[in-house]
Amino acid sequence: MIPTITAFARSPDGGRGLARDMRVRWALEETGQPYEVRLVSFKAMKEPDHLALHPFGQIPTYEEGDLALFETGAIILHIAERHDGLLPKEPNGRARAITWMFAALNTVEPPILDRETTALSERGETWGEARLRLTEERIRVRLSQLSAQLGDDDWLDGAFSAGDLLMVSVLMRLGPPILDEFPSLAAYVARGQSRPAYQRAFEAQLKVFREGI
Amino acid sequence: MIPTITAFARSPDGGRGLARDMRVRWALEETGQPYEVRLVSFKAMKEPDHLALHPFGQIPTYEEGDLALFETGAIILHIAERHDGLLPKEPNGRARAITWMFAALNTVEPPILDRETTALSERGETWGEARLRLTEERIRVRLSQLSAQLGDDDWLDGAFSAGDLLMVSVLMRLGPPILDEFPSLAAYVARGQSRPAYQRAFEAQLKVFREGI
């Protein structure tokens, strides 16, 4: 059964691959799974049909037969558990790869999103600029710790895993110039983006932005 | 093999059960697993021995033989996968329970933590009070959506799961008065806290705060 995911009918990032459907597309490509995409408008995301799939009115969702999931992390874990390519088979390595999935979403991404929210929604406030600097300092603390962990390795724990897929995706959201202060992390992101599965996923989401399909 | 978790030698919450070791203790109690606790000071958390276990210098960690994990969500999923009591056996129900784990940590907790960070670290800034109001509006949006999802049910998707454990833990961090604006969610938190496993975990962390053991 071919799963269906949802994506923005018109992504606010202009096709740069920062919307969260990109992460799910990448996971599906890494595991060689075909998928269908249903596009939803911002208006439709807040209407009952979509809220029945995603109680918080966001994308992506994942439908496969009787199963409907939301939350990017949960969807990627679901795919990774069922198909080879995103989690080691050895139980301890598998548990550590899942740890990096949570670390990407719960420890590294929050200060990055905090900065983005401040930049997008609070710039007009009196505190906009000052708070932006403060969020950037918090991001630097996390990136410094992450960079120490990665060291000279290609990936966070041995072979490429769903943990790397999410960490690269999270760091992509930050982008230069802060990322470039940490050359090994910038190289890590480039390494992720050079994977054929990433490139197929990126092209697919860009096509939606350019052609609306 | 009995796992060892780490916890704050002196929790900044004064024993209210808001530190993240509480979530892991609760999961271990729900599944009837014995565990050991090693206390770490704020100073020790940033030193090499602890950083080797937790690259971001936080608690809790989880050690079990050769395996060392960090990230509360990953630790709880690891426990839930190996012992009965926190995930349905039926595959679709299991995937949905994991979705609620991610929803608690990635969708509901971020605005709650954002408010807490603003309250703790940015109160002295010129924007402190105004930004606190703004974070509270974002929290209300999420709680309103969560409340619609819960409806009149006891738990988010059928039987109590690791998703409920994390959602109750996240809402506990918020606490009244905002939580009390959503009576069904306040009752949901009380329902979680009335579970014998919760109470055993709560007493254990309180004992550390009171007696330092």
Side-chain angles (χ1 to χ4, degrees):
Chain A
M1 181 154 334
I2 295 182
T4 298
I5 67 170
T6 49
F8 289 129
R10 192 155 184 88
S11 178
D13 77 337
R16 288 188 297 146
L18 304 181
R20 287 184 178 79
D21 62 289
M22 173 66 199
R23 304 176 182 187
V24 174
R25 290 173 187 269
W26 187 4
L28 288 161
E29 292 287 353
E30 288 283 351
T31 55
Q33 298 304 304
Y35 61 100
E36 311 256 351
V37 181
R38 190 172 66 249
L39 302 181
V40 288
S41 66
F42 283 102
K43 182 164 173 288
M45 278 167 55
K46 308 302 175 191
E47 289 174 352
D49 279 1
H50 190 73
L51 288 170
L53 283 174
H54 195 316
F56 301 103
Q58 300 175 326
I59 61 100
T61 56
Y62 180 96
E63 293 160 88
E64 189 181 20
D66 290 340
L67 178 65
L69 298 178
F70 61 99
E71 288 290 335
T72 309
I75 294 170
I76 291 178
L77 182 59
H78 176 80
I79 295 165
E81 283 183 329
R82 277 154 193 77
H83 305 286
D84 288 346
L86 288 172
L87 287 176
K89 293 204 187 302
E90 187 272 313
N92 285 1
R94 180 182 180 280
R96 286 196 303 271
I98 292 173
T99 291
W100 283 110
M101 294 179 68
F102 279 95
L105 297 174
N106 294 328
T107 297
V108 179
E109 188 162 39
I112 293 174
L113 288 182
D114 190 19
R115 175 176 177 275
E116 196 174 299
T117 303
T118 297
L120 288 175
S121 310
E122 300 173 32
R123 193 142 243 176
E125 307 287 351
T126 52
W127 64 75
E129 283 301 322
R131 191 164 194 284
L132 215 50
R133 299 293 90 76
L134 191 141
T135 60
E136 289 169 358
E137 282 315 303
R138 290 180 190 147
I139 292 169
R140 287 187 178 96
V141 171
R142 288 285 175 259
L143 296 198
S144 167
Q145 292 163 323
L146 182 65
S147 166
Q149 170 69 28
L150 183 64
D152 295 326
D153 295 341
D154 279 357
W155 308 113
L156 286 165
D157 193 301
F160 176 84
S161 79
D164 295 298
L165 185 154
L166 283 172
M167 193 67 82
V168 166
S169 301
V170 160
L171 295 176
M172 268 173 61
R173 264 197 106 108
L174 174 62
I178 299 178
L179 183 60
D180 290 342
E181 295 172 21
F182 300 85
S184 69
L185 296 182
Y188 171 66
V189 170
R191 201 174 296 127
Q193 291 176 327
S194 73
R195 293 176 70 84
Y198 173 94
Q199 295 183 1
R200 289 194 296 274
F202 186 85
E203 289 305 319
Q205 63 81 38
L206 184 59
K207 190 161 190 263
V208 169
F209 185 76
R210 287 197 176 138
E211 305 172 22
I213 53 165
Chain B
M1 180 153 337
I2 295 182
T4 299
I5 67 170
T6 48
F8 289 129
R10 193 155 183 87
S11 178
D13 77 338
R16 287 188 297 147
L18 304 181
R20 286 185 179 77
D21 62 289
M22 173 66 199
R23 303 177 183 186
V24 174
R25 290 174 187 270
W26 186 5
L28 288 161
E29 291 288 354
E30 289 284 352
T31 56
Q33 298 306 303
Y35 62 99
E36 311 256 351
V37 181
R38 189 172 68 250
L39 302 180
V40 289
S41 66
F42 283 103
K43 182 165 173 288
M45 278 167 54
K46 308 301 175 191
E47 290 174 352
D49 280 1
H50 190 73
L51 288 171
L53 282 174
H54 195 315
F56 301 103
Q58 300 175 327
I59 62 100
T61 57
Y62 179 96
E63 292 160 88
E64 189 180 20
D66 291 339
L67 178 65
L69 299 178
F70 61 100
E71 288 290 336
T72 309
I75 295 170
I76 291 178
L77 182 59
H78 177 80
I79 295 165
E81 283 182 329
R82 277 154 192 78
H83 306 287
D84 288 346
L86 288 172
L87 287 177
K89 293 205 187 301
E90 186 272 312
N92 284 1
R94 180 181 180 281
R96 286 196 303 270
I98 292 173
T99 290
W100 283 110
M101 294 179 67
F102 280 95
L105 297 173
N106 293 329
T107 298
V108 179
E109 189 161 40
I112 292 174
L113 288 182
D114 190 19
R115 176 177 176 274
E116 197 173 299
T117 304
T118 298
L120 289 174
S121 311
E122 299 174 32
R123 193 144 242 175
E125 308 287 352
T126 52
W127 64 75
E129 283 301 321
R131 191 165 194 284
L132 215 49
R133 298 294 89 77
L134 191 140
T135 60
E136 288 169 358
E137 283 315 303
R138 290 178 189 149
I139 292 169
R140 287 188 179 95
V141 171
R142 289 284 175 259
L143 296 198
S144 167
Q145 293 163 323
L146 181 65
S147 166
Q149 169 70 27
L150 183 64
D152 295 327
D153 295 341
D154 279 358
W155 308 113
L156 286 164
D157 194 301
F160 175 84
S161 79
D164 294 298
L165 186 154
L166 283 172
M167 193 66 83
V168 166
S169 300
V170 160
L171 296 176
M172 268 172 61
R173 264 198 108 109
L174 174 63
I178 298 178
L179 183 60
D180 290 342
E181 295 171 22
F182 300 85
S184 70
L185 296 181
Y188 170 68
V189 170
R191 202 174 295 127
Q193 292 176 325
S194 74
R195 294 176 70 85
Y198 174 94
Q199 296 184 0
R200 288 194 297 274
F202 186 86
E203 288 304 320
Q205 64 81 37
L206 184 59
K207 190 161 190 262
V208 170
F209 184 77
R210 286 197 176 137
E211 305 172 22
I213 53 167

